[in-house]
Amino acid sequence: MKTLIILGDGMADEPIAELGGQTPLQYARTPHMDRLAAAGVTGRLKTVADGFHPGSEVANMSVLGYDLPTVYEGRGVLEAASMNVDLQPGEIAMRCNLVCVEGDLLKNHSAGHITTGEAEELMAYLDERLGSDRVKFYPGVSYRHLLVLKRGDKHLLCTPPHDIPLQPFAPYLVRAERPEAEETAAFLNELILRSQEILPAHPVNQKRAREGKDMANSIWPWSPGERPAMQTLHELYGIGRGSVISAVDLIRGIGVYAGLKVIEVEGATGLYDTNYEGKAAAALEALRTDDFVYLHVEASDEAGHEGDVQLKVRTIENLDSRIVGPVVEALRTWNEPVAIAVLPDHPTPCAIRTHTAEPVPFLIYKPGMEPDAVTRFDEISVRAGRYPLLEKNQFIKELLR
Ligand SMILES: [Zn+2]
């Protein structure tokens, strides 16, 4: 049987007064997900291993059954994979933000959401001026870039820049987690300070300053790691050809290490206006040749971060009517049976506007299966499902069984 996972990022939430005490998943009109839940089995999945932060990379790796303590190497390495940077043994990858500093303060983590075009020029300039046989800079998207370091020690304490807006940055410079890493920390801090010397005068920043925009006047490296010891899904579960469809670098990077092909969908933005129909069509197209498709949609998470309850409800209804519905309808006519799972990676409650580590609801539907008693897909209903709480690789094994 072929397998399709439809993942609504951050879709889970908590009861909200504005929705009459319901969660967005309960409140939203989701006839297609509800029908799958009614014909399938449901439950809850723990997607954030103890001791880990509830990041999307952590949660999505868990959904695929990876053992976080064994394979987790931070964000940088995943983004490197999605940028086709093949890390060699002994190399460390780090997320390298372009940030805006003002005096002693880290003004924002995004250099005022600098454009990709501007950022590409700055990253090329950084690589020309600060790059060496030891360090190389790679341009990514907007403020999100990559630094690859040779001869370093990854045991570093770094602070995500989005955690310290408008705070003095000096106390949060890179620190060593063990004595062997002190040279690496000093080397990285030297890079940060030198970037602050050379970036302001660059024409891109001069133009931004004239236009009253924030300058990208510092780098901020964080989340160091080495190439992860991730086996492919083929090695782990015998899955044949597979693909991943996502607008998010982290998720695409997980897919690369999992042995999945990354499928580009035009207009897939990771935002509310994403090309839902294009993603649904791409998933169906991929399922014609592949045994496994991981379809990731970011919009609900963004709505949760905005704290916008009505928008979050709409993103859930869009996922249901523009992806789940058309996909299920199309698959009905296929001879080949397809197992379908729908789930979020983690909650992003509108009330707190950030991720939590609470277990998430899931549904698994396989044609002809014996359903459980649950007829709706939401955080509360699935508590009466067949699987009160799965963890580690129990979910993916159940799905692939
Ligand atoms: Zn997420």
Side-chain angles (χ1 to χ4, degrees), residues 254-387:
I254 293 169
V256 171
Y257 289 121
L260 305 177
K261 175 174 79 225
V262 177
I263 294 182
E264 301 285 344
V265 176
E266 213 172 303
T269 55
L271 294 171
Y272 324 116
D273 60 353
T274 196
N275 182 359
Y276 288 93
E277 286 74 17
K279 284 187 146 180
L284 286 166
E285 182 67 29
L287 279 171
R288 291 199 179 275
T289 51
D290 295 359
D291 297 313
F292 181 88
V293 173
Y294 196 76
L295 172 57
H296 169 269
V297 181
E298 176 75 358
S300 305
D301 184 59
E302 291 293 327
H305 284 297
E306 297 281 324
D308 189 330
V309 173
Q310 294 305 329
L311 182 59
K312 186 156 185 187
V313 168
R314 252 192 342 271
T315 63
I316 293 169
E317 292 180 341
N318 277 335
L319 184 76
D320 189 74
S321 65
R322 297 168 68 181
I323 291 188
V324 179
V327 165
V328 169
E329 192 54 42
L331 290 180
R332 213 188 295 280
T333 64
W334 288 24
N335 292 323
E336 168 113 41
V338 177
I340 302 172
V342 181
L343 76 168
D345 49 351
H346 51 72
T348 307
C350 290
I352 56 168
R353 299 177 60 165
T354 188
H355 305 178
T356 69
E358 274 295 296
V360 297
F362 70 81
L363 72 82
I364 293 176
Y365 166 77
K366 300 176 195 176
M369 84 190 307
E370 184 67 37
D372 63 19
V374 172
T375 57
R376 288 182 52 92
F377 181 61
D378 60 66
E379 301 86 342
I380 315 300
S381 301
V382 303
R383 286 169 183 258
R386 183 167 301 169
Y387 305 103

Side-chain angles (χ1 to χ4, degrees), residues 87 111 155 184 278 325 362:
L87 289 176
H155 294 90
T184 308
F362 70 81

Side-chain angles (χ1 to χ4, degrees), residues 42-310:
T42 60
R44 297 200 308 153
L45 173 64
K46 175 174 165 158
T47 55
V48 181
D50 294 332
F52 282 83
H53 71 284
S56 285
E57 77 282 27
V58 166
N60 279 273
M61 285 165 98
S62 297
V63 168
L64 289 170
Y66 286 101
D67 179 49
L68 267 290
T70 313
V71 299
Y72 188 69
E73 289 283 339
R75 291 176 170 233
V77 296
L78 299 174
E79 292 174 336
S82 89
M83 292 159 66
N84 294 316
V85 174
D86 191 18
L87 289 176
Q88 301 302 311
E91 288 184 340
I92 293 169
M94 299 179 82
R95 158 66 82 79
C96 184
N97 281 44
L98 280 174
V99 302
C100 179
V101 296
E102 213 166 64
D104 299 336
L105 303 183
L106 193 144
K107 188 174 180 199
N108 60 55
H109 70 285
S110 64
H113 285 92
I114 187 164
T115 66
T116 301
E118 290 172 308
E120 274 173 358
E121 280 191 55
L122 293 173
M123 293 307 290
Y125 180 64
L126 283 166
D127 198 52
E128 181 193 312
R129 293 288 306 273
L130 305 181
S132 64
D133 67 332
R134 189 174 181 194
V135 64
K136 186 154 177 55
F137 295 87
Y138 294 90
V141 174
S142 181
Y143 59 88
R144 305 186 296 271
H145 309 285
L146 183 73
L147 175 161
V148 175
L149 182 68
K150 286 189 174 69
R151 304 187 302 280
D153 190 310
K154 69 175 178 183
H155 294 90
L156 303 167
L157 297 166
C158 303
T159 305
H162 51 260
D163 284 353
I164 47 168
L166 300 173
Q167 293 190 43
F169 63 80
Y172 298 102
L173 287 168
V174 181
R175 283 180 299 143
E177 204 176 26
R178 60 180 196 183
E180 297 91 315
E182 264 162 29
E183 190 275 337
T184 308
F187 180 79
L188 289 165
N189 289 332
E190 176 69 20
L191 282 180
I192 293 172
L193 297 178
R194 285 181 61 196
S195 78
Q196 295 182 4
E197 288 167 14
I198 65 170
L199 282 172
H202 190 279
V204 164
N205 273 326
Q206 287 300 309
K207 180 158 182 286
R208 286 183 70 82
R210 279 197 303 278
E211 292 168 352
K213 295 176 180 164
D214 287 333
M215 284 203 272
N217 52 10
S218 179
I219 58 167
W220 194 267
W222 57 288
S223 203
E226 293 167 36
R227 189 186 172 91
M230 272 171 78
Q231 289 176 280
T232 64
L233 295 176
H234 175 73
E235 289 164 339
L236 286 169
Y237 310 112
I239 288 174
R241 281 152 58 125
S243 356
V244 59
I245 300 168
S246 172
V248 176
D249 284 342
L250 283 178
I251 310 300
R252 295 153 70 114
I254 293 169
V256 171
Y257 289 121
L260 305 177
K261 175 174 79 225
V262 177
I263 294 182
E264 301 285 344
V265 176
E266 213 172 303
T269 55
L271 294 171
Y272 324 116
D273 60 353
T274 196
N275 182 359
Y276 288 93
E277 286 74 17
K279 284 187 146 180
L284 286 166
E285 182 67 29
L287 279 171
R288 291 199 179 275
T289 51
D290 295 359
D291 297 313
F292 181 88
V293 173
Y294 196 76
L295 172 57
H296 169 269
V297 181
E298 176 75 358
S300 305
D301 184 59
E302 291 293 327
H305 284 297
E306 297 281 324
D308 189 330
V309 173
Q310 294 305 329

